[in-house]
Amino acid sequence: MTALADRTSGDLATELADVRQLARGFFEKEVAPHREEFAAAGRPSREVYRTAGSLGLLGMSVPEQYGGGGGDFRHEAVLFEEQVRSGDSAMQLGVHSGIVPHYILAYASEEKKQQWLPKLCSGEWIGAIAMTEPGTGSDLQGITTRAVRDGDDYVVTGGKTFISNGAHCDLIIIAAKTDPSAGARGLSLLVAEVSDDTDGFHRGRVLHKIGQKGQDTAELTFDGLRIPATNLLGGGSGAGRNDQESQEGRGFAQLMQQLPQERLICGIAAAAMIDAAVAQTVEYTKSRSAFGKTLFDLQNTKFELAECATIGRVVRTFVDDAMAQHISGTLDVTTAAMVKYWTTDRQFEVVDRCLQLFGGYGYMEEYPIARMFVDGRIARIYAGANEVMKDLISRSL
């Protein structure tokens, strides 16, 4: 199966093929050998991000003037696909490269773009976004973290959980209420530069998950964290208090504008995982014997794989169409929700059916199919639970 990125023509096709080869080599040589080490630590090393940055694999769709590759989202898609196919789930590149830089590009001042983006693209900094709280997940309007203006700063108080890259992050986008009485219109996004020594910022435990064990997912606490008012996304220059206040409350709209790309990333990963699961299962069943035949020769195996391959083709076609819409700027919230829920549901179905064909070996962690099963389960939950996606879709009917 080939992605939309591989079906382009001319110089772009050659460029994307080169990116694919570079990304594949990076994951095979720099990441895969450390899988057990990262899982034991509950996080990847910072060095792998710096290596990815030095190779030009981070921020490929960020303009060159900000330290990026100057490409478009197809370059990022190739990276995400190769990460899935390599079996790596430790690096959270979807957040670091696919999500965080694009909020900054869209809503930060020119000064802040110049300040933040080169460090993210080089891997010197690791990015995160903090939306989910202990008491609210997909319902972003239920966020209770507060950001109160105090002179030239905002003072942030509250807690976040399930934050990808939370244990490592140097830059974090925080969703907080600047006006709790205004509902969704009281939500704002602020960018904090953080370290272990930042006053008012505390990293909690790295959470133990059933899958993606090498990816750092952490709890974060803000206890009077001071953030410069100029770090309010969409807040203009911040030259005057009244001007700054007039820009507050844009966070919910900003999230709605950026979430389609996040949900498309889920679809890209789902398509790649389905392809990988089917390919590995075909290889396994053709090499293993049962009842005097290879497993592949048994009718049930052939029919199962035929159905899974067909599902994979439909998923890939759907994702390719959404990718084309996204590149042209026409991917809407409803279609992105459809992509996210339907492809990740199909991913879980196909991986489960493929695991069954491995028999007892499919339950062993050393087999990639077992890791796919547990690593991929979260896809139906993050970026908005699939039940929430269906609710969003229903509003358009």
Side-chain angles (χ1 to χ4, degrees), residues 82-316:
E82 287 306 311
Q83 181 176 18
V84 171
R85 288 170 178 164
S86 76
D88 173 58
S89 61
M91 299 184 74
Q92 185 39 282
L93 295 173
V95 170
H96 178 83
S97 281
I99 297 174
V100 171
H102 296 279
Y103 279 90
I104 295 171
L105 276 171
Y107 312 119
S109 67
E110 181 64 23
E111 177 186 357
K112 296 302 182 182
K113 291 175 189 178
Q114 295 284 356
Q115 180 179 335
W116 294 329
L117 288 171
K119 293 181 179 180
L120 292 172
C121 293
S122 70
E124 178 185 349
W125 279 5
I126 295 174
I129 184 166
M131 292 185 279
T132 303
E133 298 182 354
T136 185
S138 299
D139 179 16
L140 297 175
Q141 298 186 56
I143 285 172
T144 60
T145 296
R146 287 292 315 277
V148 178
R149 184 70 181 266
D150 181 29
D152 292 332
D153 296 333
Y154 282 95
V155 180
V156 180
T157 304
K160 301 288 184 177
T161 193
F162 308 145
I163 306 306
S164 298
N165 296 343
H168 267 330
C169 64
D170 307 278
L171 178 146
I172 184 166
I173 300 171
I174 303 170
K177 286 289 183 68
T178 44
D179 184 355
S181 67
R185 294 184 178 180
L187 188 68
S188 300
L189 301 181
L190 300 106
V191 179
E193 300 175 29
V194 296
S195 72
D196 292 342
D197 300 322
T198 300
D199 290 339
F201 174 73
H202 307 282
R203 304 184 202 267
R205 61 194 176 109
V206 173
L207 301 170
H208 298 285
K209 311 179 293 295
I210 63 171
Q212 298 193 14
K213 294 181 181 294
Q215 194 275 312
D216 63 303
T217 305
E219 297 172 327
L220 302 177
T221 301
F222 313 117
D223 182 16
L225 172 66
R226 301 190 76 90
I227 300 176
T230 52
N231 288 17
L232 175 71
L233 290 184
S237 65
R241 181 179 172 86
N242 292 334
D243 174 71
Q244 191 74 17
E245 286 180 339
S246 71
Q247 307 300 325
E248 291 178 358
R250 295 184 173 188
F252 191 78
Q254 291 165 345
L255 288 166
M256 292 304 100
Q257 290 165 6
Q258 293 296 317
L259 279 170
Q261 177 159 306
E262 180 176 353
R263 290 164 181 165
L264 178 56
I265 291 171
C266 294
I268 291 166
M273 187 171 286
I274 290 171
D275 289 351
V278 172
Q280 290 177 21
T281 309
V282 168
E283 181 181 5
Y284 175 80
T285 56
K286 285 185 175 181
S287 66
R288 185 156 178 90
S289 298
F291 308 109
K293 300 179 178 180
T294 68
L295 284 177
F296 186 82
D297 288 330
L298 300 176
Q299 185 183 70
N300 179 71
T301 303
K302 290 190 289 187
F303 282 12
E304 280 289 286
L305 287 170
E307 290 183 19
C308 288
T310 303
I311 291 169
R313 179 71 63 86
V314 176
V315 166
R316 175 65 68 186

